[in-house]
Amino acid sequence: MRAAAAQTMRSDASVSRFHPAALIGIPLLAVFLQAFLPVKFHFVSRFDLPLLATIFFAVSRRSQVQGLMTGALIGLLQDSLTTGIPLGLYSLSKTVVGYAASSLSVKIDSESPGSRLLLTFGFFLLHQVVYFSVARGMVRLDHLQWQWQHELIGAVLNAVLAVPLFMALDRLKQRG
Amino acid sequence: MERVISRHRAVSILVVVLFMQVIGLAVQVRRPVEGESVRLIRVWAMSAISPVEKGFIGTGHFFHRIWSGYIYLRGARAENEALKQELERIRLQQIREREDAAQAHRLQALLGFKEQFIAQTLPAQVIGTGAGEQSRVVYLDRGSNDGIKPDMAVVTAGGIVGKVTRVISGSSAQVLLINDQLSGVGAMLEKSRLQGIVSGTSSGSLVLQYVMSDEKVEPGEMVLASGGDRVFPKGVAIGRVKAVNRGPGVFYSIELQPAADLSRLEEVLVITRLEQKLPESEAAGATRASDILAERLPTVPPPAKTDADGNPLPAAGGAKPKPPATGVAGATPQQANSGIAAQPAKQKKPKPAAPDGDAAAPGSQSSNASDQSAAPTAEQSTAGSAQADSVSPKPPKPAPKPKKSATDEKKPQPASPDDRGGAR
């Protein structure tokens, strides 16, 4: 009983808070950069910056409700800048990722670079699986094709980017 | 029940949110509105993001212009010299090719070919891309205020980029790139003229499909727009054959290297007006294509009539027989300039040309030219002025019109001063 209470206190202590400007600005910036940077640097399209923002806020705030809502809103914003697909595909995928990331962050250490690398790798694949499942199974976007190699490379790239990016974003945390 | 919900509050909210999203997706799938209009949220998002993107692009260009125009001028002098030499070379080449082009257009016009001409273009700046990796679209800083409409072709100097799919606002429009999976461009191979459809793949590469696998396709061959889709003008480059693979069924799956660099698009041209018309030609008056072809085909001069003793008889009308001209005798100045020699129409007229214009090609004369060496082919006649001058037997006279072929056949006229074999 005492151990459980200590665990709860430790978890509560590691919950991070953010300034509202950061909470709104970072997702907006991520979506903007995702749409803008590939014009100049095409390789940026391999990254999913809105997904990284979703994972970061979900694991930092450790709240499942906040995590899923953050994912839903960031996904909807990304949907609005993407065409050829119905609105809601990214939103649904990121909702699932936001919920899963915040749920997992309560149980494991998500602050170390190693765990962030693995978490991002796994959540990228989860995001893609949900996206493709809904796109092909429900929306009938049959032209989409799952390519393992492509997805694995994307997962590795995003995981590698996540480590320094999350470290930089850690500076915006307000411990409370 | 309430206790269960409050206990599993997060899961309950997750289920509700997912349910709402699934319902939203189902509604969109059932009633797709993308074809007719754009979702309001997308309009808002694009309207919000476009000015920021334009600002970034404009600022970047400003500094780039200052850097490249005023500061970083290393090698500019040498580059200037090299460009001047290149310009001279291209001018010479242009002079040579202008004649060929004019000739080709003239014959094409005579054969009734219709071409799609790019009548008007509008330069535009790429200000953004789709936010998803699977969606290969770009956004332009031009919209309905600039006359942009859906289905307008977008190109660069390199080749085809895509087509306008939506006009988002007065100052922004969306372009679907040709390497998107939803894209399709009518295409043909440059040499073999085999036709197919170019589309994108999930990895963003270009594939030419529906070319029969018993045809010969070689890597490196250019793939051009066929014009059949009524969006992209015929002849604009799409890409180059990179690899030829066996596709499904009896077709090839031909990988292409895009002619335009689709990953580095900055400035593009939107084709705002296409005109379908006959190529302009100064010689396209009342002359028929078959007459032109007949004129260009070499012929044997008619044997001089002789009396019983073998002495030549005077020709009808009292004119003396003249030696057959080997230059471009009897041609109008225009014909001479273009290498078309007026010839009698007594010989067999060629069949109407195939739509691909093979009959109009100079090569189609080669079979007749082999046994008749008196008149040169067009290529020979346009080869240079020295030869034409050397074979002009008489002082210049106004050249007769080629239509009066029966008379001309008996009286081949000498070359006029302009009959310099299309001197360049």
Side-chain angles (χ1 to χ4, degrees):
Chain A
M1 185 71 181
R2 192 175 294 171
Q7 175 69 29
T8 306
M9 285 176 68
R10 190 167 61 82
S11 297
D12 287 343
S14 61
V15 171
S16 305
R17 290 187 172 80
F18 294 89
H19 192 275
L23 277 176
I24 297 170
I26 290 172
L28 283 176
L29 184 67
V31 175
F32 171 76
L33 292 178
Q34 189 70 42
F36 176 70
L37 282 184
V39 175
K40 299 285 182 185
F41 312 102
H42 185 63
F43 69 91
V44 176
S45 63
R46 296 301 299 269
F47 298 107
D48 195 338
L49 300 179
L51 176 66
L52 296 183
T54 302
I55 296 172
F56 175 75
F57 283 116
V59 298
S60 300
R61 298 166 84 188
R62 296 171 195 262
S63 163
Q64 293 166 325
V65 176
Q66 289 178 349
L68 74 91
M69 293 307 290
T70 304
L73 291 175
I74 291 178
L76 192 61
L77 204 57
Q78 191 176 5
D79 275 322
S80 65
L81 289 175
T82 311
T83 52
I85 58 171
L87 280 169
L89 265 180
Y90 280 112
S91 178
L92 198 150
S93 311
K94 286 182 170 57
T95 302
V96 173
V97 169
Y99 178 82
S102 55
S103 302
L104 203 60
S105 67
V106 178
K107 296 174 182 171
I108 65 168
D109 170 36
S110 56
E111 300 286 321
S112 68
S115 61
R116 281 177 167 176
L117 190 85
L118 290 175
L119 279 176
T120 310
F121 181 86
F123 284 131
F124 181 88
L125 289 180
L126 173 66
H127 175 269
Q128 296 299 89
V129 167
V130 174
Y131 180 89
F132 274 83
S133 303
V134 176
R136 291 197 61 131
M138 186 179 164
V139 189
R140 299 287 179 197
L141 296 177
D142 293 331
H143 63 273
L144 291 180
Q145 291 176 346
W146 179 270
Q147 293 177 323
W148 270 111
Q149 187 184 357
H150 187 79
E151 303 305 336
L152 286 175
I153 291 173
V156 170
L157 288 175
N158 280 275
V160 169
L161 176 66
V163 175
L165 184 67
F166 288 2
M167 284 174 70
L169 293 176
D170 280 341
R171 295 169 183 273
L172 301 173
K173 286 179 179 175
Q174 296 174 336
R175 300 274 175 186
Chain B
M1 184 66 182
E2 286 178 12
R3 183 176 293 177
V4 172
I5 291 177
S6 61
R7 192 173 174 184
H8 302 284
R9 180 169 154 265
V11 177
S12 307
I13 293 175
L14 175 68
V15 169
V16 170
V17 171
L18 289 181
F19 181 73
M20 288 169 62
Q21 288 170 336
V22 168
I23 293 292
L25 281 170
V27 169
Q28 291 176 74
V29 173
R30 184 170 170 76
R31 290 186 300 144
V33 295
E34 294 293 320
E36 302 91 45
S37 62
V38 185
R39 291 266 175 208
L40 201 56
I41 188 172
R42 286 187 166 142
V43 175
W44 288 344
M46 273 312 300
S47 303
I49 208 169
S50 288
V52 185
E53 287 176 330
K54 277 184 189 175
F56 271 97
I57 294 276
T59 308
H61 278 195
F62 173 74
F63 285 112
H64 183 262
R65 275 198 299 271
I66 288 182
W67 172 256
S68 59
Y70 296 100
I71 301 171
Y72 188 73
L73 296 172
R74 184 166 160 261
R77 189 187 298 274
E79 188 182 359
N80 193 29
E81 290 300 321
L83 287 175
K84 278 181 181 172
Q85 290 176 5
E86 178 75 5
L87 183 63
E88 287 301 316
R89 191 185 65 75
I90 289 174
R91 274 182 183 157
L92 288 173
Q93 187 180 347
Q94 187 189 22
I95 291 168
R96 284 199 298 271
E97 289 178 350
R98 191 184 293 155
E99 287 299 326
D100 292 343
Q103 180 180 340
H105 277 187
R106 191 165 45 250
L107 289 171
Q108 224 171 10
L110 292 169
L111 289 168
F113 287 154
K114 279 189 176 177
E115 278 188 355
Q116 285 181 318
F117 288 90
I118 298 173
Q120 195 174 23
T121 59
L122 182 72
Q125 185 81 45
V126 175
I127 57 170
T129 64
E133 195 196 356
Q134 296 289 336
S135 157
R136 292 184 176 83
V137 294
V138 293
Y139 293 94
L140 306 182
D141 65 341
R142 304 280 191 172
S144 55
N145 292 345
D146 306 293
I148 302 288
K149 292 175 185 167
D151 283 340
M152 284 182 170
V154 180
V155 300
T156 65
I160 289 177
V161 169
K163 71 170 182 178
V164 176
T165 46
R166 289 191 189 91
V167 180
I168 303 289
S169 64
S171 62
S172 80
Q174 182 194 66
V175 175
L176 185 72
L177 300 182
I178 56 171
N179 63 345
D180 189 279
Q181 294 172 93
L182 298 175
S183 174
V185 183
M188 65 179 175
L189 287 151
E190 186 181 30
K191 291 179 190 168
S192 57
R193 317 305 281 182
L194 294 169
Q195 298 209 0
I197 294 175
V198 171
S199 59
T201 65
S202 58
S203 60
S205 55
L206 275 185
V207 176
L208 174 61
Q209 296 170 310
Y210 305 113
V211 173
M212 298 291 284
S213 57
D214 56 351
E215 303 285 355
K216 188 178 179 184
V217 180
E218 292 181 350
E221 187 171 355
M222 280 299 293
V223 177
L224 311 173
S226 67
D229 50 26
R230 301 279 174 185
V231 174
F232 301 101
K234 184 179 180 181
V236 182
I238 297 174
R240 193 175 287 278
V241 175
K242 195 161 69 174
V244 182
N245 306 316
R246 287 277 173 185
V250 294
F251 299 111
Y252 279 132
S253 175
I254 302 171
E255 283 183 52
L256 303 183
Q257 177 70 37
D261 191 350
L262 300 176
S263 61
R264 290 174 184 273
L265 291 171
E266 292 190 25
E267 289 90 15
V268 295
L269 287 174
V270 184
I271 300 175
T272 51
R273 195 153 56 90
L274 270 177
E275 280 184 2
Q276 198 173 53
K277 63 178 182 181
L278 292 172
E280 291 175 1
S281 168
E282 69 274 17
T287 315
R288 294 181 306 165
S290 52
D291 292 336
I292 290 289
L293 287 171
E295 289 162 6
R296 297 195 60 180
L297 291 172
T299 183
V300 176
K305 292 180 180 176
T306 56
D307 58 12
D309 300 330
N311 298 321
L313 287 173
K320 289 182 181 178
K322 292 174 182 174
T326 55
V328 284
T332 62
Q334 289 82 5
Q335 289 167 336
N337 282 334
S338 62
I340 299 176
Q343 292 290 341
K346 214 172 185 180
Q347 56 194 274
K348 279 187 180 177
K349 288 183 180 176
K351 291 180 181 177
D356 57 0
D358 286 347
S364 61
Q365 306 166 22
S366 57
S367 59
N368 288 340
S370 60
D371 58 349
Q372 300 182 20
S373 59
T377 61
E379 288 81 0
Q380 287 167 336
S381 66
T382 56
S385 62
Q387 287 181 350
D389 287 341
S390 66
V391 294
S392 298
K394 294 231 171 182
K397 276 186 183 178
K401 293 199 172 180
K403 276 200 163 181
K404 299 174 183 175
S405 53
T407 316
D408 295 341
E409 187 179 0
K410 292 175 183 174
K411 296 193 298 178
Q413 295 297 316
S416 67
D418 290 335
D419 299 346
R420 293 174 182 270
R424 295 166 175 172

